[in-house]
Amino acid sequence: MEEGKRKGKAVVVGGSIAGISCAHALIGAGWEVVVLEKTSALPTGSPTGAGLGLDPLARKLIESWLPQPDLLHQSTLPLTIHEHKATDAEKKISWKLTRDEDFNFRAAYWADLYTLLYNALPQSIVFWAHSFLSFSLSDDKSRVTVKTKVLTTGDTISIVGDLLVAADGCLSSIRQSFLPDFKLRYSGNCAWRGVLDFSNNENSEAIIGIKAAYPDLGRCLYFHLGSRTHSALYELLNKRINWIWYINHPEPELKGTSVTMKVSNEMVKKMHELAEKVWPREFARLIRETKDPFINVIYDADPLEKLCWDNVVLVGDAAHPTTPHGLRSTNMSVLDAAVLGKCLEKWGLENLTSALEEYQCVRLPVASEQVLHSRRLGRIKQGLPLPDRHAFDPKNATADECEELQLKKIPYFSDAPSLLSI
């Protein structure tokens, strides 16, 4: 920063991976950052997500924020293969639909990735147990005042900054203040999720069976298609297997501000019974032996027309709620943060409007196409109809139809913005 120029200050609302990534990128751009997070402490588990896949660009960006870049490699497993299988539940047979052996992702556990990113930040910038209440702009719209409730004391405090970064997730209240009629779009399905820790029973029947059925576990992202349903399966570091099972379901009634549903023992029992009918016995057994499975209700949203208003900017799921089918949510959040940081560094505080306009220009078209493609992938894999084609049937699918399932078909799959010079 040039001598005599004031340092910009950003208030980031939401301390999940999108918010923490923004903190890294904005500090790198020479800004002062405060992150407001309503939870009370560093998460040790992942209530709303377990495993995730990191693409090459996201990994390079994250590594640039870490004091020891190899820490990311050490805490993830390779996903060098991407395979789609199918099952005929009646005939009890499975077969390969398509396989990509040049897949270059890595599998991370949400809490492990979060801890890496958090520990690489100055610890004082994250304000835990601070619940966002409201914000207001100064008369000349050059400053923003954020009110937050300190949950440990009940006090309300105000923080003044130059920029408000809304990283408050798909149910963003900041976005709602600009788009009061905005609504999430229910995808038509919910996802059972779970992580099986097999570190103490590597030679159990269940693990031997699942590794025989999915021989490339440890380096392969498997998608398994059944009749109007599909699942994902891959291994995480430290002998853990992450699985997701999508089920077509009427939209459930959510309570609170989370898209994660609490489940009862009865719900889990019925899910186990259904798994026995739908999946090969090895996968059904894996599901049955997983402790504390949970349900994510799957939403996305039609692409927004803009991502910034004055000195307020949306990032992550607040900017582009998406279904998980394209493995884009975390990757898009990391890229949002990096692009925002580079734009602020390029234009400087005195040209904040131009910086935010360039961020929007770079990220909006890419994120919009990826959200819509992920939506399409979800409908194809669930056997749901599309306007331009019949419902996908694994039993009769052509080679071209199977190739459409591959993640490398996602728009801008391997593109990096020139702004990042990576």
Side-chain angles (χ1 to χ4, degrees):
M1 186 172 64
E2 295 178 24
E3 189 176 348
K5 285 193 175 183
R6 183 171 67 83
K7 196 173 188 178
K9 180 177 180 180
V11 182
V12 180
V13 173
S16 192
I17 286 177
I20 294 294
S21 296
C22 282
H24 278 286
L26 270 59
I27 289 172
W31 279 57
E32 179 185 349
V33 179
V34 171
V35 179
L36 305 178
E37 171 53 42
K38 65 182 176 182
T39 58
S40 59
L42 184 70
T44 55
S46 178
T48 59
L52 53 93
L54 292 173
D55 66 27
L57 177 56
R59 296 201 305 272
K60 288 180 181 178
L61 294 169
I62 292 168
E63 287 168 354
S64 74
W65 299 332
L66 301 177
Q68 298 172 267
D70 60 337
L71 287 174
L72 181 64
H73 192 85
Q74 294 169 12
S75 63
T76 57
L77 282 183
L79 292 174
T80 59
I81 303 169
H82 177 221
E83 179 171 313
H84 286 82
K85 295 167 65 76
T87 281
D88 184 324
E90 292 180 2
K91 296 181 179 179
K92 299 296 182 184
I93 57 172
S94 297
W95 65 97
K96 181 177 67 179
L97 292 170
T98 180
R99 182 177 170 97
D100 177 6
E101 296 194 354
D102 294 316
F103 196 59
N104 184 16
F105 276 51
R106 290 190 73 86
Y109 187 58
W110 189 95
D112 292 347
L113 177 61
Y114 186 91
T115 301
L116 270 184
L117 288 167
Y118 174 76
N119 287 341
L121 283 173
Q123 304 297 283
S124 59
I125 73 168
V126 179
F127 290 18
W128 298 103
H130 279 61
S131 180
F132 168 79
L133 296 175
S134 64
F135 72 93
S136 59
L137 301 178
S138 60
D139 290 341
D140 63 358
K141 298 186 177 180
S142 66
R143 305 281 276 169
V144 60
T145 300
V146 178
K147 287 189 176 180
T148 181
K149 183 176 182 179
V150 184
L151 299 179
T152 53
T153 64
D155 295 337
T156 297
I157 63 171
S158 295
I159 302 173
V160 180
D162 302 287
L163 175 66
L164 172 57
V165 180
D168 52 344
C170 65
L171 296 169
S172 171
S173 58
I174 296 173
R175 182 190 60 219
Q176 209 69 25
S177 67
F178 295 105
L179 301 170
D181 297 326
F182 176 91
K183 287 184 174 58
L184 293 176
R185 186 200 69 95
Y186 178 55
S187 68
N189 54 80
C190 297
W192 278 97
R193 305 192 65 168
V195 174
L196 177 68
D197 183 338
F198 64 96
S199 55
N200 294 321
N201 59 347
E202 292 184 56
N203 297 314
S204 68
E205 271 189 48
I207 298 304
I208 292 172
I210 203 70
K211 291 204 167 187
Y214 303 88
D216 290 312
L217 269 180
R219 62 193 183 109
C220 182
L221 166 61
Y222 285 101
F223 279 98
H224 202 141
L225 278 64
S227 176
R228 293 177 58 82
T229 188
H230 76 288
S231 59
L233 181 72
Y234 52 96
E235 191 171 333
L236 301 169
L237 194 69
N238 298 326
K239 310 296 182 183
R240 293 171 291 187
I241 297 176
N242 179 76
W243 59 267
I244 312 167
W245 175 17
Y246 298 91
I247 298 176
N248 295 337
H249 195 279
E251 183 175 4
E253 185 177 342
L254 289 174
K255 296 179 180 179
T257 58
S258 174
V259 294
T260 299
M261 283 179 59
K262 291 183 178 179
V263 299
S264 65
N265 291 335
E266 184 62 25
M267 291 168 68
V268 172
K269 180 182 176 184
K270 288 182 178 178
M271 182 268 288
H272 287 165
E273 292 171 352
L274 183 59
E276 298 284 349
K277 298 175 182 177
V278 172
W279 298 119
R281 66 178 182 276
E282 297 89 354
F283 189 23
R285 183 166 184 174
L286 176 80
I287 291 173
R288 184 177 289 276
E289 295 199 6
T290 301
K291 295 179 181 178
D292 303 319
F294 59 96
I295 295 177
N296 280 158
V297 185
I298 308 300
Y299 290 94
D300 68 4
D302 292 336
L304 302 181
E305 294 182 0
K306 58 189 300 187
L307 300 178
C308 53
W309 292 262
D310 298 314
N311 50 354
V312 180
V313 61
L314 307 181
V315 299
D317 287 345
H320 36 67
T322 185
T323 68
H325 304 97
L327 269 68
R328 298 314 305 152
S329 179
T330 299
N331 292 296
M332 284 197 289
S333 296
V334 170
L335 190 49
D336 287 348
V339 170
L340 179 60
K342 288 298 182 183
C343 289
L344 294 173
E345 183 180 16
K346 172 183 174 180
W347 289 96
L349 176 60
E350 64 278 13
N351 296 302
L352 180 59
T353 298
S354 296
L356 297 184
E357 285 176 352
E358 182 167 7
Y359 163 78
Q360 178 174 275
C361 182
V362 172
R363 292 300 297 139
L364 187 58
V366 174
S368 298
E369 286 204 38
Q370 292 188 339
V371 166
L372 294 177
H373 191 88
S374 184
R375 177 187 297 182
R376 179 181 177 86
L377 269 180
R379 292 193 66 84
I380 291 173
K381 293 180 180 183
Q382 284 297 103
L384 298 172
L386 290 162
D388 61 340
R389 56 167 289 177
H390 56 78
F392 183 85
D393 179 1
K395 298 176 185 177
N396 302 304
T398 66
D400 287 344
E401 288 172 338
C402 291
E403 289 297 299
E404 192 177 357
L405 300 172
Q406 293 191 3
L407 288 176
K408 66 183 179 183
K409 300 294 185 180
I410 292 173
Y412 308 102
F413 177 73
S414 57
D415 291 0
S418 57
L419 186 75
L420 297 182
S421 301
I422 287 182

